[in-house]
Amino acid sequence: MFIGQGRRTMPEQSGKVQTVLGLIEPGQLGRTMTHEHLTMTFECSHVPPAPGDEGLAAAPIEMKHLHWLQQNPYSHSENLLLNQEIEAVKEELLCYRKAGGGSIVENTTTGITRNLPVLRKLAKETGVHIIAGAGYYVDVTHSDETRKMTVEKLTDIIVSEVLHGADGTDIRCGVIGEIGTSWPITESEKKVLRATAHAQTQLGCPVIIHPGRNKAAPGEAIRILQEAGGNISKTVMSHLDRTLFDQQELLEFAKMGSYLEYDLFGTEMLNYPFNLDVDMPSDSQRVQALAFLIREGYEDRILIAHDIHTKHRLTKYGGHGFSHILKNIVPKMLSRATEKNLQCTAEDLQDELMKGGKTLQCRV
């Protein structure tokens, strides 16, 4: 979250956090969700409904259809338009702040309808610090213009989004990401990854990666970033809870040095439509995975969030909302820590897993 002392940053930016309302000190972050969306569209990932479910997919979101929606969230077109729920998101953020939340890292990048003026408005009206993401999402959202850009041009755009403002505004992004990759990683995505590494070198700021839905994807993305000069110690690998399940493979990836993000808390479905080989874990299994990483010594490299990106995950529609981790998951972690006698205290867990100012140590 912190802006490092890169070649292009100003002295007043070094060691600070760039929010949509301006620079703040790291100590002002408070408890931070490092991977959320407040306004975006996800039509790029629409999944046609199963035969016979076309009526449900076209029906208004109602309580009687909630279970179907939870199991088929990407087959309901309206559900993919989170950008229609600004007032509901505002209420969520007020509840999040009341529950002890301080900051949100908003991971919406070019391709999925980033809306910086709305983010600024939400930050002003709720008091929650919002850090916006620079860069590009997965290949399917790249425009023809983006595909034709050189790595140098892409780098300049990402750097400008952090230093000067994005999307024709003066609102500056504070992280690079989420940078989207598919599997296999496409040529356009490889260019964006290389540009991301070059921009990070110039800026000294953190990078957040969305890996493809394959166990080899996180490592391949890291390899491309490293070869382009990226700082892996200041890079976050997202969505590990739907990507790496084998403990030894997880540890091998952890040795590469990135932050390990479990950011799908609250998401539980029987069939994951983007990779049917994946058995989506429960929240209890996520907690167990984090306990394993803590026992292996990675407590200072773990980040957690919800990755809310559809309507049905808002409390307005019967979902868990942005306060789920604070209200439900942290108490679960603390109870398990006591039962298992983990080598950490309750305060350690809350600090290491929730306080972005301590966890995402990206100063140089």
Side-chain angles (χ1 to χ4, degrees), residues 33 35-36 239 241 261-268 280-290 302-308 313 320-322 324-326 328-330 332-333 353-354:
M33 297 297 147
H35 197 120
E36 305 293 351
H239 314 325
D241 36 351
E261 189 170 78
Y262 282 68
D263 49 31
L264 294 172
F265 275 95
T267 295
E268 301 184 17
M280 184 65 72
S282 67
D283 280 354
S284 291
Q285 290 171 313
R286 292 184 178 99
V287 170
Q288 292 167 11
L290 296 181
I302 298 171
L303 300 172
I304 60 176
H306 310 93
D307 189 20
I308 291 176
R313 296 179 66 192
H320 53 77
F322 293 101
H324 172 54
I325 286 175
L326 290 173
N328 303 311
I329 300 304
V330 170
K332 174 79 170 185
M333 289 176 175
L353 295 175
M354 301 308 306

Side-chain angles (χ1 to χ4, degrees), residues 162 228 248:
V162 173
Q248 288 307 120

Side-chain angles (χ1 to χ4, degrees), residues 85-103:
E85 298 294 340
I86 304 307
E87 284 303 310
V89 168
K90 175 183 172 181
E91 293 303 312
E92 291 269 0
L93 290 178
L94 291 171
C95 291
Y96 171 68
R97 188 180 181 197
K98 186 176 180 181
S103 302

Side-chain angles (χ1 to χ4, degrees), residues 25 48 62 90 107 142 152 172 195 206 250 265 286 349 359:
E25 297 290 338
E62 297 180 87
K90 175 183 172 181
N107 281 245
H142 293 184
E152 292 73 22
R172 300 175 183 179
L250 176 59
F265 275 95
R286 292 184 178 99
L349 270 174
T359 304

Side-chain angles (χ1 to χ4, degrees), residues 253-289:
F253 176 75
K255 291 175 184 176
M256 299 184 79
S258 76
Y259 282 90
L260 311 170
E261 189 170 78
Y262 282 68
D263 49 31
L264 294 172
F265 275 95
T267 295
E268 301 184 17
M269 62 177 66
L270 188 60
N271 296 305
Y272 184 52
F274 304 124
N275 184 346
L276 293 176
D277 290 333
V278 168
D279 290 324
M280 184 65 72
S282 67
D283 280 354
S284 291
Q285 290 171 313
R286 292 184 178 99
V287 170
Q288 292 167 11

Side-chain angles (χ1 to χ4, degrees), residues 91-92 94 107 115 123 148 154 191 205 209 249 255 259 273 317 329:
E91 293 303 312
E92 291 269 0
L94 291 171
N107 281 245
N115 193 326
K148 293 175 184 176
L154 290 164
K191 284 198 302 179
C205 68
I209 301 297
E249 291 174 348
K255 291 175 184 176
Y259 282 90
Y317 294 104
I329 300 304

Side-chain angles (χ1 to χ4, degrees), residues 125-160:
E125 293 180 354
T126 66
V128 174
H129 300 299
I130 298 174
I131 298 96
Y136 298 83
Y137 195 52
V138 297
D139 183 290
V140 70
T141 70
H142 293 184
S143 66
D144 289 340
E145 181 183 8
T146 298
R147 296 179 198 281
K148 293 175 184 176
M149 288 182 188
T150 63
V151 171
E152 292 73 22
K153 177 62 175 176
L154 290 164
T155 301
D156 288 343
I157 290 174
I158 294 172
V159 168
S160 181

